[in-house]
Amino acid sequence: MSLQDHIIARIRTDGPISVADYMAEALLHPTYGYYATRDPLGASGDFTTAPEISQMFGELIGLALAQTWIDQGSPTPFTLAELGPGRGTLMADVLRATKAVPGFHAAMRISLLEASPTLRKRQAEALSGYAATWHDTIEELPEQALFLVANEFFDALPVRQFLRDGEGWREKSVGLSEDGTLQFGLGPVAPQPALSHRIEDTSDNDLVELCEAAQPIVSTLAQRIAAYGGCALIVDYGDWRSLGDTLQALRSHAPSDPLLSPGEADLTTHVDFEALALAAKSAGAEFSRVTPQGVFLERLGITARAQALAAHLSGQQLDQLIAAHRRLTHPEEMGNLFKVLALYPAQMTPPPGLNA
């Protein structure tokens, strides 16, 4: 049985499912799900993330975390964590860049939150020589100071989609067409208390996405940070407030139909940073201004780092470095599409590169 057969059988038995349930099946089904069955990254995969583009990204993230650790009095021990660590490239770059920071490595305890067995193996290879602990849930992170990065983690969490209809909402669902193939549909009009604040800024037929899975994760992070210190750097594509249908599928680095061959393509949506920030605030932490990735990296000194690396390169390697710098920072590349949000203790200042 394929994942598509499984989903079709489920719909025939129980009726249409929410977009969130469809995304969860497609990405996280333990046998057929996208993340359970492959390494999705790189030229042979379906997409490429910032750490895979250049070492500069992870190095600067690592130094920002280390400076925040120093600014908060160098708590010992502390958890150095990553949500959805991919191949382990970002964490490896963080560790290399922070090796010379006095006391940082001696005090850290590395924790990785990863659902994919395939990627856990890649992470273990990338971090050989370091003692790391893998976790299935955010609640398993140690109760101590927490310095965390989540790069392209929240965009893969399942979202529900709602279409504005008068003073109510119709939930978008995945059901079956007359010929038995998967298709989108709409449920009946109903009030949605979680979207009551969106009546003011939406009109009929506007679509809003709600990521219910993100809020408990952010709340737990914020509670740890508020209680023990630390910070969380969240880097993802999206904006302050969700509006419009942003569900997309990527297969072999090209757009695909989200309902075509579930489990064979990566599914993501744009992150609603407002929802993350407000969940953090409710749990006792403070949040920074949402800042474009390009601005954040420039404030941390990516151009100077690129120039230092360029001094030892020529030819194709130099061209690749220049292209990587542009891709990470230029407004027409990842620079504006991707945003950075920090969570930190209310009595502290935000991490470097970000403003309160």
Side-chain angles (χ1 to χ4, degrees), residues 3-4 7-8 10-11 17-29 158-159 172-175 182-184 247 249 257-265 267:
L3 182 57
Q4 181 165 294
I7 293 173
I8 288 173
R10 176 180 172 181
I11 293 170
I17 61 176
S18 69
V19 172
D21 284 346
Y22 175 76
M23 288 183 69
E25 291 275 30
L27 295 175
L28 301 173
H29 188 282
V159 303
K172 194 171 177 181
S173 60
V174 177
L182 297 172
Q183 69 172 14
F184 289 114
L247 178 63
D257 182 343
L259 298 184
L260 186 66
S261 302
E264 298 296 322
L267 298 180

Side-chain angles (χ1 to χ4, degrees), residues 26-27 33-53 82-89 114 116 119 122-123 151-157 235-237 248-256 263-269 327 334 337-338:
L27 295 175
Y34 180 77
Y35 287 116
T37 57
R38 73 202 65 228
D39 175 356
L41 295 160
S44 61
D46 297 306
F47 60 91
T48 300
T49 61
E52 304 292 332
I53 293 169
E82 185 176 359
L83 305 184
R87 292 173 168 174
T89 305
E114 179 57 66
S116 165
L119 289 177
R122 296 297 298 269
Q123 292 154 19
N151 179 62
E152 291 200 55
F153 173 80
F154 286 96
D155 63 58
L157 295 182
V235 187
D236 229 312
Y237 50 87
Q248 61 182 341
L250 270 182
R251 190 173 186 180
S252 300
H253 299 267
S256 180
E264 298 296 322
D266 183 41
L267 298 180
T268 65
T269 59
R327 188 167 178 190
M334 298 173 73
L337 176 62
F338 281 75

Side-chain angles (χ1 to χ4, degrees), residues 16 25 27 70 109 119 142 168 172 174 177 204 207 282 301 326 331:
E25 291 275 30
L27 295 175
I70 293 169
R109 307 292 184 267
L119 289 177
K172 194 171 177 181
V174 177
S177 65
D204 274 2
L207 189 140
S282 296
R326 176 184 170 85

